[in-house]
Amino acid sequence: METICSVQCVTRKIKGKEIAQNVSFEVSKGEIVGLLGPNGAGKTTTMKMIVGLSEISVGDIKIMGYSIKDDLSKALNNIGAVIEEPTFYPYLTGNENLRQYQRMHKTDDRKWLLEVANLVGIEYALKQRVATYSMGMKQRLGIAQALLKKPKLLVLDEPTNGLDPVGIRDIREYLKQLADNLGMGILISSHQLSEIEKIADRVIIMQDGRIFADQQIGDGTNDGFSRIILHIDDAEHTSKIVAELFGVNSSVSKSITVERLPNQLYTVALTINENQIPKLLTSLCIVGISVFRVLSLRTPLEEQYLNLTNSKS
């Protein structure tokens, strides 16, 4: 697979403090990579170094083989980015902002401008002044602007901020199309782990400026186990059934936590292989335990992310 972006042992120091420490990873053609981590983990700093907005103290970053340190202009020609909140000329229309961006980069492909506006669902508002745009509309316009150069690498920092659920779904579908149809490499940071799990091929988890995990979605992030919550009327009997089915010392039995609800019911939370959930529910019903609700507590990626970041705190 062709490498679009290569981050090579990169460190960023500010006043002697290492904001990013020895960070290394790659983004390949057609690959969507999620960059995760708590606030202050170094995600935005890493992205800023990739797009040339922050100085690289140690190491190097190459985009399509061009060094950010030595061939910045050639490297940037292959990058489209939205870092933090996108900014525009508020007194100009959406179309005028995009046209101005094209002029800055000496391009004049009006057909592509309309295509990307269509792609991100902003074509209906191109004649409106950006001052009238909602935050979600500005996010869409920012992604459209980033695509105008037909970049090989798209870097997006929290692109779904300010979007409603429909907008989030739409952006997810747009990005999949860009990766699949245009072979674009995409690096995206987000706090919405469920969205990253739906869209990314791979996740990189950062904390304290370092990378603690770099793995494929489904490779260790989802081993078939889920954390579920049952709303039932007999917690003690439920625990006994779980012990009989899986063993007293099994990981399932040891994972159980119980809380009493105001309506005389109980919540029983446990971690169980997804294939075993029907067997458990059937066994509970057979012995007369009423199951009022079954809820998923966390996604597999969320579970792994929280376990990892908590263990490294």
Side-chain angles (χ1 to χ4, degrees):
M1 188 72 72
E2 182 182 4
T3 298
I4 302 294
C5 171
S6 177
V7 180
Q8 303 170 348
C9 302
V10 164
T11 295
R12 168 64 171 157
K13 295 181 181 178
I14 300 178
K15 296 181 179 179
K17 181 179 180 181
E18 294 185 337
I19 308 301
Q21 307 171 43
N22 199 33
V23 174
S24 296
F25 62 88
E26 293 184 346
V27 180
S28 300
K29 181 179 180 180
E31 183 182 34
I32 301 177
V33 178
L35 188 59
L36 308 177
N39 291 333
K43 304 187 301 298
T44 299
T45 296
T46 299
M47 287 183 156
K48 284 183 174 180
M49 286 190 289
I50 290 173
V51 301
L53 292 176
S54 285
E55 182 183 352
I56 300 171
S57 304
V58 178
D60 199 3
I61 297 170
K62 293 186 177 180
I63 311 298
M64 298 301 295
Y66 295 111
S67 165
I68 288 289
K69 279 187 168 182
D70 302 327
D71 294 300
L72 180 60
S73 61
K74 290 181 180 179
L76 293 185
N77 281 339
N78 292 287
I79 300 175
V82 180
I83 304 294
E84 297 179 331
E85 186 177 340
T87 56
F88 306 99
Y89 300 106
Y91 51 86
L92 298 181
T93 67
N95 182 71
E96 289 168 339
N97 269 277
L98 295 180
R99 293 286 294 134
Q100 177 63 17
Y101 186 82
Q102 283 188 320
R103 283 191 289 270
M104 289 169 57
H105 293 277
K106 300 179 182 180
T107 62
D108 190 27
D109 191 341
R110 300 195 182 198
K111 182 180 178 182
W112 178 242
L113 186 155
L114 294 175
E115 283 186 32
V116 297
N118 243 329
L119 182 67
V120 301
I122 203 73
E123 74 286 349
Y124 70 93
L126 285 180
K127 294 183 179 180
Q128 298 177 28
R129 288 190 304 112
V130 171
T132 68
Y133 280 24
S134 67
M135 185 175 179
M137 292 167 68
K138 289 178 181 177
Q139 288 291 107
R140 292 171 186 257
L141 186 63
I143 296 174
Q145 180 175 278
L147 294 174
L148 287 178
K149 291 191 297 181
K150 298 183 181 179
K152 299 292 185 181
L153 175 69
L154 184 61
V155 180
L156 301 174
D157 187 16
E158 298 285 350
T160 56
N161 274 353
L163 296 180
D164 59 22
V166 173
I168 292 173
R169 180 203 62 197
D170 289 345
I171 292 295
R172 183 172 72 235
E173 295 306 314
Y174 304 150
L175 296 181
K176 285 181 179 178
Q177 289 179 43
L178 292 170
D180 294 340
N181 300 337
L182 299 180
M184 196 175 291
I186 300 175
L187 180 65
I188 176 173
S189 75
S190 178
H191 287 101
Q192 300 189 37
L193 302 185
S194 61
E195 284 304 312
I196 291 293
E197 192 164 25
K198 290 174 185 174
I199 190 175
D201 303 298
R202 198 169 104 243
V203 292
I204 295 168
I205 301 177
M206 294 187 69
Q207 188 171 1
D208 299 327
R210 292 175 289 167
I211 291 178
F212 283 108
D214 183 347
Q215 61 189 45
Q216 298 293 123
I217 290 286
D219 179 14
T221 59
N222 186 354
D223 51 8
F225 282 81
S226 293
R227 186 72 175 168
I228 65 170
I229 294 178
L230 306 177
H231 285 199
I232 44 87
D233 60 355
D234 190 336
E236 184 177 353
H237 201 176
T238 296
S239 296
K240 289 180 180 179
I241 294 298
V242 170
E244 290 173 6
L245 288 175
F246 305 104
V248 177
N249 296 318
S250 68
S251 61
V252 180
S253 296
K254 291 181 178 180
S255 73
I256 290 178
T257 59
V258 177
E259 290 185 18
R260 182 158 189 160
L261 296 171
N263 58 0
Q264 305 304 310
L265 296 179
Y266 296 87
T267 64
V268 174
L270 68 160
T271 302
I272 184 173
N273 190 296
E274 293 176 352
N275 295 330
Q276 296 295 330
I277 294 175
K279 178 181 177 180
L280 172 61
L281 297 180
T282 299
S283 298
L284 294 177
C285 293
I286 286 175
V287 298
I289 296 174
S290 297
V291 181
F292 292 85
R293 188 173 297 173
V294 182
L295 302 171
S296 176
L297 184 59
R298 293 173 184 157
T299 67
L301 176 60
E302 190 175 14
E303 185 83 34
Q304 193 233 10
Y305 171 85
L306 292 173
N307 287 341
L308 180 65
T309 53
N310 287 339
S311 69
K312 301 297 182 182
S313 295

